[in-house]
Amino acid sequence: MKRDFPLLQQLMNGKPLIYLDSAATTQKPQQVLDAMHRYYTSQNANVHRGVYALAATATDLYEGAREKAARFLNASSPREIVFTRGTTEALNLVAAGWLRPRLQPGDEILTTVAEHHSNLIPWQMAAKAAGARLRFFPLEADGTLDLAKAAGCITPRTRAIAIAHISNVLGTIHPLQELAALAHRQGAVLIVDAAQSAAHHPLDVQQLDCDFLAFSGHKLYGPTGIGVLYGKSGLLADTEPVQYGGEMIDEVELFDASWKDAPWKLEAGTPPIAEAAGLAAAIDYLEVIGRDNIKRQIESLAAYACDQLSALDGITLYGPQKRGGVAAFNLDGAHPHDVATVLDAAGIAVRAGHHCAQPLMRWLGAAATVRASFGIYNTRADVDALTAALREAKGWLGK
């Protein structure tokens, strides 16, 4: 499969590139690159504005991508799909446009200490603005949720539960369907950060019964600059725009204006048209492979990596045994940045740092970790190369 990804054909530091940073961003298959090149060379025009043929083609392309995203998530309608710049913008839109106007002093928002900053700070700001409380589910030692304990945290004052489907550090897979049922029992909504799961985990928003769900195109083997916010139609209809201008407008008077219906009222300005074409191509690419096949491959690779890393002396591995495609670890006596530098010299690209999850680092008692994250182009041979390079690094850096 690596042959579909032109960037992976290059050498890094004189070695064949092994890319293990897909949790940060994925590489792009030729089909995505071709779709974006085709748009700019033969389809480029603005959408929802012109009556000429090229503008109609661009509009069809953009709205066709929306329909494809809706099918990808099994949304009940394309009108439940809002294009954003990414997961971060989507979650901020929910926080500012839907949740904040409904929060009252004393209301509660529930989340976990393991969240990416993008799924924490928007709720912090909403809570502060309204005098509401931000509360945290207790986590088990391996970072998983105990549903009975979680249920005890949800009260009639809970307005929203915001949680990642898969942790970007621990790889923990949270039980969304069960959390949705618990949330709805108390009249709360479930907001899902699917940044780490959308590419590798089949998602059916109707079956999950989540209220909002967000993911980024660039973590789905698509381009940067585009993301998807799914919202139940009634909730999107009640979401207030947070940006104004462009084709989100219905009527404008000198001192007032009105908006189109959702999702268009939530997409101010010229939207990411080429990026939508790329995202649609990425969805096509994943669906040809088969999302159940991808899930099995990624989880098998993550399990293999955990087994191999756990067998190395001096490695501390974080997170549960059953996980998504992420393995965060530390090498005793070595700073994660030094480990990543040694791996880079071996042609292996990993991330080192706090992974935009500083509260989780404090909960783990670690300043930072090394993180290997897997994509559909990775193999067991890549994991073997990682463990071999870590053995060598241990000789140089470890205690």
Side-chain angles (χ1 to χ4, degrees):
M1 196 174 294
K2 283 187 180 181
R3 64 179 178 274
D4 289 346
F5 295 81
L7 185 142
L8 297 178
Q9 310 310 313
Q10 65 184 297
L11 300 178
M12 188 167 71
N13 294 321
K15 306 287 177 54
L17 171 60
I18 296 175
Y19 186 76
L20 298 178
D21 197 19
S22 292
T25 193
T26 54
Q27 300 304 334
K28 320 307 174 195
Q30 187 64 52
Q31 291 88 334
V32 169
L33 304 176
D34 289 344
M36 297 183 72
H37 182 265
R38 186 164 53 248
Y39 170 74
Y40 278 127
T41 54
S42 65
Q43 300 165 323
N44 181 46
N46 215 325
V47 298
H48 300 144
R49 288 166 170 81
V51 295
Y52 53 93
L54 200 57
T57 298
T59 300
D60 289 346
L61 190 72
Y62 183 72
E63 293 300 330
R66 193 190 311 276
E67 292 175 8
K68 201 159 286 187
R71 288 199 299 271
F72 187 72
L73 296 176
N74 194 32
S76 61
S77 165
R79 299 180 67 156
E80 293 183 325
I81 301 297
V82 180
F83 286 131
T84 65
R85 287 186 300 153
T87 306
T88 299
E89 185 174 87
L91 296 173
N92 274 276
L93 174 57
V94 176
W98 186 84
L99 182 61
R100 190 182 297 175
R102 288 163 178 77
L103 279 180
Q104 299 293 323
D107 286 347
E108 297 174 349
I109 306 166
L110 273 166
T111 185
T112 80
V113 299
E115 303 305 314
H116 188 278
H117 295 163
S118 294
N119 193 35
L120 175 60
I121 298 171
W123 318 121
Q124 289 179 348
M125 302 308 291
K128 286 178 181 176
R133 293 179 65 205
L134 193 59
R135 298 179 59 220
F136 298 89
F137 289 121
L139 294 180
E140 303 301 292
D142 61 359
T144 56
L145 268 181
D146 180 304
L147 276 173
K149 294 178 184 175
C153 297
I154 306 170
T155 76
R157 298 309 305 263
T158 305
R159 294 290 171 263
I161 296 172
I163 194 164
H165 187 190
I166 296 179
S167 162
N168 72 316
V169 178
L170 303 174
T172 316
I173 304 170
H174 290 306
L176 297 183
Q177 198 165 353
E178 292 82 356
L179 285 170
L182 291 172
H184 295 158
R185 197 174 300 162
Q186 295 285 10
V189 298
L190 180 68
I191 303 161
V192 179
D193 170 2
Q196 296 300 332
S197 65
H200 300 150
H201 206 106
L203 291 173
D204 182 331
V205 290
Q206 294 189 69
Q207 183 179 42
L208 294 173
D209 199 21
C210 57
D211 298 284
F212 293 101
L213 181 144
F215 68 84
S216 298
H218 73 98
K219 295 184 181 181
L220 197 85
Y221 306 94
T224 57
I226 189 167
V228 166
L229 170 64
Y230 157 80
K232 289 180 177 174
S233 57
L235 297 175
L236 284 185
D238 290 340
T239 301
E240 291 297 319
V242 295
Q243 293 182 323
Y244 306 93
E247 289 301 306
M248 56 82 67
I249 288 167
D250 185 22
E251 292 285 339
V252 178
E253 303 293 341
L254 278 180
F255 296 102
D256 204 358
S258 59
W259 327 127
K260 289 182 177 171
D261 292 336
W264 300 283
K265 72 173 180 178
L266 304 172
E267 296 177 355
T270 294
I273 310 165
E275 290 78 5
L279 178 64
I283 289 173
D284 286 341
Y285 183 80
L286 294 178
E287 290 184 337
V288 167
I289 299 170
R291 296 168 73 190
D292 287 330
N293 293 334
I294 293 170
K295 178 176 181 289
R296 280 193 294 271
Q297 177 197 343
I298 294 295
E299 290 186 355
S300 171
L301 201 56
Y304 180 70
C306 289
D307 289 344
Q308 298 301 304
L309 291 170
S310 298
L312 292 176
D313 290 338
I315 292 283
T316 300
L317 181 65
Y318 304 97
Q321 184 63 31
K322 180 175 172 52
R323 62 175 66 200
V326 174
F329 58 92
N330 271 318
L331 177 62
D332 291 352
H335 193 283
H337 286 176
D338 294 334
V339 176
T341 300
V342 171
L343 294 175
D344 180 54
I348 301 171
V350 297
R351 182 166 173 179
H354 55 63
H355 314 298
C356 299
Q358 291 178 343
L360 176 60
M361 291 297 114
R362 285 189 278 276
W363 186 80
L364 292 172
T369 76
V370 183
R371 183 185 69 186
S373 55
F374 308 104
I376 55 178
Y377 28 64
N378 291 125
T379 64
R380 289 193 171 202
D382 295 338
V383 175
D384 293 339
L386 171 67
T387 52
L390 284 170
R391 284 192 193 93
E392 190 170 349
K394 186 173 184 298
W396 296 351
L397 303 171
K399 285 181 178 176

Short mmCIF file of all heavy atoms in Angstrom, two decimals, residues 329-330 334-341 351-353 367-370:
data_model
loop_
_atom_site.label_atom_id
_atom_site.label_comp_id
_atom_site.label_asym_id
_atom_site.label_seq_id
_atom_site.Cartn_x
_atom_site.Cartn_y
_atom_site.Cartn_z
N PHE A 329 5.26 5.93 24.89
CA PHE A 329 6.18 5.24 25.79
C PHE A 329 7.33 6.16 26.17
O PHE A 329 7.52 7.22 25.57
CB PHE A 329 6.73 3.97 25.12
CG PHE A 329 7.45 4.22 23.83
CD1 PHE A 329 8.82 4.44 23.81
CD2 PHE A 329 6.76 4.22 22.62
CE1 PHE A 329 9.49 4.67 22.62
CE2 PHE A 329 7.42 4.46 21.43
CZ PHE A 329 8.79 4.69 21.43
N ASN A 330 8.10 5.73 27.16
CA ASN A 330 9.34 6.41 27.52
C ASN A 330 10.43 5.38 27.72
O ASN A 330 10.17 4.22 28.08
CB ASN A 330 9.16 7.25 28.80
CG ASN A 330 8.68 8.66 28.48
OD1 ASN A 330 9.16 9.28 27.52
ND2 ASN A 330 7.74 9.16 29.25
N ALA A 334 16.17 8.50 29.51
CA ALA A 334 16.37 9.25 28.26
C ALA A 334 15.23 10.24 28.07
O ALA A 334 14.05 9.91 28.32
CB ALA A 334 16.44 8.30 27.07
N HIS A 335 15.56 11.43 27.62
CA HIS A 335 14.50 12.40 27.31
C HIS A 335 13.82 11.98 26.00
O HIS A 335 14.48 11.55 25.05
CB HIS A 335 15.10 13.80 27.16
CG HIS A 335 14.04 14.88 27.15
ND1 HIS A 335 13.26 15.14 26.04
CD2 HIS A 335 13.63 15.73 28.13
CE1 HIS A 335 12.42 16.13 26.32
NE2 HIS A 335 12.62 16.49 27.58
N PRO A 336 12.49 12.11 25.94
CA PRO A 336 11.79 11.71 24.72
C PRO A 336 12.31 12.39 23.46
O PRO A 336 12.36 11.77 22.39
CB PRO A 336 10.33 12.12 25.01
CG PRO A 336 10.22 12.07 26.48
CD PRO A 336 11.56 12.51 27.01
N HIS A 337 12.72 13.66 23.56
CA HIS A 337 13.25 14.34 22.37
C HIS A 337 14.54 13.68 21.89
O HIS A 337 14.79 13.57 20.68
CB HIS A 337 13.50 15.81 22.68
CG HIS A 337 12.23 16.61 22.76
ND1 HIS A 337 12.21 17.94 23.09
CD2 HIS A 337 10.94 16.25 22.55
CE1 HIS A 337 10.96 18.38 23.09
NE2 HIS A 337 10.17 17.38 22.77
N ASP A 338 15.38 13.22 22.83
CA ASP A 338 16.62 12.54 22.44
C ASP A 338 16.30 11.21 21.77
O ASP A 338 16.95 10.83 20.78
CB ASP A 338 17.50 12.32 23.67
CG ASP A 338 18.02 13.63 24.25
OD1 ASP A 338 18.12 14.61 23.49
OD2 ASP A 338 18.29 13.67 25.46
N VAL A 339 15.31 10.49 22.30
CA VAL A 339 14.92 9.22 21.69
C VAL A 339 14.41 9.46 20.26
O VAL A 339 14.80 8.75 19.31
CB VAL A 339 13.83 8.52 22.53
CG1 VAL A 339 13.36 7.25 21.84
CG2 VAL A 339 14.36 8.21 23.93
N ALA A 340 13.58 10.49 20.11
CA ALA A 340 13.04 10.78 18.77
C ALA A 340 14.14 11.17 17.80
O ALA A 340 14.08 10.84 16.61
CB ALA A 340 11.99 11.88 18.87
N THR A 341 15.16 11.85 18.31
CA THR A 341 16.27 12.25 17.44
C THR A 341 17.07 11.03 16.98
O THR A 341 17.47 10.94 15.81
CB THR A 341 17.19 13.23 18.20
OG1 THR A 341 16.43 14.39 18.56
CG2 THR A 341 18.36 13.67 17.33
N ARG A 351 6.68 11.20 17.07
CA ARG A 351 6.51 12.47 17.77
C ARG A 351 6.96 12.33 19.21
O ARG A 351 6.72 11.29 19.83
CB ARG A 351 5.05 12.92 17.72
CG ARG A 351 4.82 14.27 18.40
CD ARG A 351 3.47 14.85 18.07
NE ARG A 351 3.21 16.05 18.86
CZ ARG A 351 2.11 16.77 18.77
NH1 ARG A 351 1.16 16.43 17.92
NH2 ARG A 351 1.94 17.85 19.51
N ALA A 352 7.58 13.37 19.72
CA ALA A 352 7.94 13.41 21.15
C ALA A 352 7.46 14.72 21.73
O ALA A 352 7.57 15.77 21.10
CB ALA A 352 9.45 13.29 21.31
N GLY A 353 6.92 14.68 22.93
CA GLY A 353 6.43 15.89 23.58
C GLY A 353 5.21 15.59 24.42
O GLY A 353 4.98 14.45 24.83
N ALA A 367 6.71 14.22 31.98
CA ALA A 367 6.77 15.53 31.35
C ALA A 367 6.41 15.42 29.88
O ALA A 367 5.86 16.36 29.28
CB ALA A 367 8.16 16.12 31.50
N ALA A 368 6.73 14.28 29.29
CA ALA A 368 6.51 14.08 27.85
C ALA A 368 6.64 12.59 27.57
O ALA A 368 7.05 11.82 28.45
CB ALA A 368 7.54 14.87 27.04
N THR A 369 6.27 12.20 26.37
CA THR A 369 6.47 10.80 25.95
C THR A 369 6.91 10.79 24.49
O THR A 369 6.78 11.78 23.77
CB THR A 369 5.19 9.95 26.07
OG1 THR A 369 4.31 10.27 24.99
CG2 THR A 369 4.48 10.14 27.40
N VAL A 370 7.41 9.64 24.07
CA VAL A 370 7.58 9.36 22.65
C VAL A 370 6.27 8.70 22.19
O VAL A 370 5.69 7.91 22.93
CB VAL A 370 8.75 8.38 22.40
CG1 VAL A 370 8.96 8.15 20.90
CG2 VAL A 370 10.02 8.91 23.05
#
